[in-house]
């Protein structure tokens, strides 16, 4: 590390060429959502602190330990968004989107902030692509949301992941289950912080990774055995749809999500090549969130958040390269001032034709400039010196084959556009 400043602890930078993978992942995931009718939504990076406290839940780690909260200059308590669902529901209520066509289907991407202990795959500024479908409580929609995430991963070429699925029940059965679990947990010999957690948020105890707690809770009651008829029917239908869609899943009755708003279907995509931070995406249905955030209608919603950073890491762990595209298609090598004037203008004409072009700036010799051309990933180098300029031609070198041709300057734009047709477009 060098220099006086570094990015904040636990915050990754993405820069070329690796940033092309980041963009490719984000685009593949948002494209999958757009193909299923999810429209783009752009929301604030910070919101009223109370929105998250109430929406995500006071007793969650996210709210109680991980939020970036501060008073703005007007004395309002604001928080850098730790997740996207609460903000989407807030916007749906604020703008009356729930009075239009239902479900409201939106997709978002961007940074989220959690003050977690940094480690591989766990960042304090993390990137997600998320979708939310609000207003229709239809198991087919649960399956669609899951299938969109699965399609996004598959299109990227990811294969070493699995989908874990569960149901957290609803108002008609969750309170009974919670009470049964609490009674079971409080009957165990637990340390005081764990007992306190069992009192506040008993489900979280099932997520404890310590072997002793795992062993002690092995026989804990499971939500899946407490589902009411309607919650079970919903879950069975989701499973039927997933089977028909060919999306494989494993039931995980101990699946615990870190946010409080979930009801009914919950799921997580897990990748085994990532070590401890194996969750590459997750989500579920939320029946009560809209009511909790002050909505007049209590509409149910379902969505996912996919970790872009972790998906990039998962692809790297599988040795899958998603951004094979070169940064530019053509690289200009001017030899002398007059040649540079001409190439600067030619580059603009090529870019007008959607050809991606870069030039050797500064006064580099032929050797250094050709090296830069090779490194740029371009398919063609354009070499222009005084001799060519006088003759009204330019040297076009195919950097893959080494072939070289002299082309008339006034036809080189069409010549290149034709030869590049069919080459992959650049980011
Ligand atoms: P979440 O499970 O908290 O859900 O986060 C979604 C994904 O974001 C995780 O599966 C993980 O890939 C990524 N992620 C979370 N924290 C970090 C971190 N510290 N570093 C790197 N990646 C991370 C939600 O946020 C819900 N809003 C998802 C949802 C939408 N549920 C319904 N609708």
């Amino acid at each position: 590390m060098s220099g006086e400043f570094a990015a904040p602890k636990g915050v990754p930078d993405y820069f070329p060429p690796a940033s092309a993978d980041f963009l490719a992942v984000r685009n593949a995931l948002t494209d999958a959502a757009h193909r299923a009718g999810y429209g783009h939504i752009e929301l604030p990076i910070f919101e009223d602190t109370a929105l998250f406290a109430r929406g995500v839940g006071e007793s969650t780690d996210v709210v109680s330990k991980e939020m970036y909260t501060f008073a703005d200059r007007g004395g309002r308590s604001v928080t850098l968004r730790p997740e996207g669902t609460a903000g989407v529901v807030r916007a749906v209520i604020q703008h009356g989107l729930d009075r239009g066509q239902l479900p409201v289907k939106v997709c978002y991407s961007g940074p989220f902030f959690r003050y977690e202990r940094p480690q591989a795959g766990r960042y304090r500024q993390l990137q997600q692509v998320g979708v939310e479908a609000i207003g229709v409580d239809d198991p087919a929609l649960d399956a669609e949301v899951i299938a969109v995430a699965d399609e996004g991963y598959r299109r990227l070429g990811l294969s070493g992941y699995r989908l874990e699925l569960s149901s957290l029940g609803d108002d008609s059965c969750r309170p009974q289950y919670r009470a049964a679990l609490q009674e079971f947990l409080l009957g165990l010999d637990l340390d005081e912080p764990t007992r306190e957690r069992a009192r506040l948020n008993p489900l979280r105890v099932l997520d404890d990774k310590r072997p002793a707690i795992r062993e002690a809770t092995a026989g804990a009651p499971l939500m899946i055995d407490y589902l009411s008829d309607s919650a079970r029917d919903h879950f069975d239908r989701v499973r039927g749809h997933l089977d028909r869609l060919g999306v494989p899943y494993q039931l995980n009755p101990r699946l615990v999500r870190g946010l409080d708003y979930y009801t009914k279907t919950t799921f997580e995509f897990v990748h085994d090549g990532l070590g401890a931070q194996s969750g590459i995406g997750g989500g579920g249905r939320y029946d009560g969130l809209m009511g909790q955030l002050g909505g007049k209608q209590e509409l149910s919603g379902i969505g996912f958040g996919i970790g872009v950073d972790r998906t990039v890491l998962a692809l790297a762990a599988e040795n899958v390269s998603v951004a094979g595209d070169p940064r530019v298609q053509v690289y200009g090598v001017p030899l002398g001032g007059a040649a540079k004037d001409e190439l600067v203008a030619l580059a603009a004409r090529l870019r007008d034709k959607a050809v991606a072009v870069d030039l050797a700036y500064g006064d580099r010799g032929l050797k250094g400039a050709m090296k830069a051309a090779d490194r740029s990933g371009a398919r063609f180098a354009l070499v222009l010196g005084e001799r060519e300029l006088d003759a009204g031609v330019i040297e076009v070198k195919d950097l893959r084959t080494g072939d070289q041709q002299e082309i008339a300057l006034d036809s080189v734009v069409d010549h290149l556009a034709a030869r590049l047709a069919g080459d992959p477009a650049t980011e």
Side-chain angles (χ1 to χ4, degrees), residues 62 66 82-86 108 112 114 116-117 119 121-128 130-132 153 257-259 261-262 267-269 277-286 301-311:
V62 169
E66 298 169 1
E83 63 95 55
T85 311
Y108 50 88
F112 296 87
R114 296 182 188 180
E116 293 192 80
R117 199 163 42 77
Q119 65 178 81
R122 186 161 68 194
Y123 302 134
R124 289 180 172 170
Q125 177 172 316
L126 57 123
Q127 301 271 347
Q128 282 186 11
V131 305
E132 311 293 345
Y153 292 134
R257 305 270 303 132
L259 314 161
Y261 46 64
Y262 291 113
F267 57 90
E268 221 157 68
F269 289 91
Q277 303 308 311
S278 58
I280 53 172
R285 186 165 276 286
Y286 40 91
I302 169 112
F304 68 62
I306 293 181
V308 176
D309 314 89
R310 286 187 195 169
T311 305

Side-chain angles (χ1 to χ4, degrees), residues 247-317:
V247 177
Y249 61 86
Q250 292 170 8
L251 291 182
N252 177 1
R254 289 177 69 109
L255 180 67
V256 178
R257 305 270 303 132
L259 314 161
D260 270 358
Y261 46 64
Y262 291 113
T263 53
K264 299 195 188 108
T265 315
T266 47
F267 57 90
E268 221 157 68
F269 289 91
V270 181
H271 194 282
D272 285 326
L274 293 184
Q277 303 308 311
S278 58
I280 53 172
R285 186 165 276 286
Y286 40 91
D287 283 347
L289 185 55
M290 205 158 161
Q292 249 157 3
L293 296 181
K296 291 207 181 64
Q297 306 198 70
E298 288 230 11
L299 299 178
S300 179
I302 169 112
F304 68 62
I306 293 181
V308 176
D309 314 89
R310 286 187 195 169
T311 305
V312 170
L313 293 171
L315 286 161

Side-chain angles (χ1 to χ4, degrees), residues 156-215:
L156 282 164
L158 201 66
S159 54
Y161 65 92
R162 63 177 186 277
L163 165 63
E164 296 191 349
L165 187 71
S166 188
S167 171
L168 286 178
D170 58 19
D171 266 1
S172 67
C173 50
R174 178 92 141 263
Q176 292 87 311
Y177 170 66
R178 193 181 186 277
L181 179 62
Q182 206 160 42
E183 192 183 321
F184 172 86
L185 293 173
L186 293 176
L188 297 175
D189 180 22
L190 298 171
D191 56 273
E192 197 38 51
T194 310
R195 286 188 83 74
E196 182 58 16
R197 195 176 302 158
R199 275 183 218 109
L200 277 174
N201 199 340
L203 258 86
R204 299 287 304 160
V205 181
L206 295 186
D207 201 25
D208 201 311
K209 302 281 185 296
R210 288 173 296 175
I213 305 282
R214 297 226 132 221
E215 204 177 306

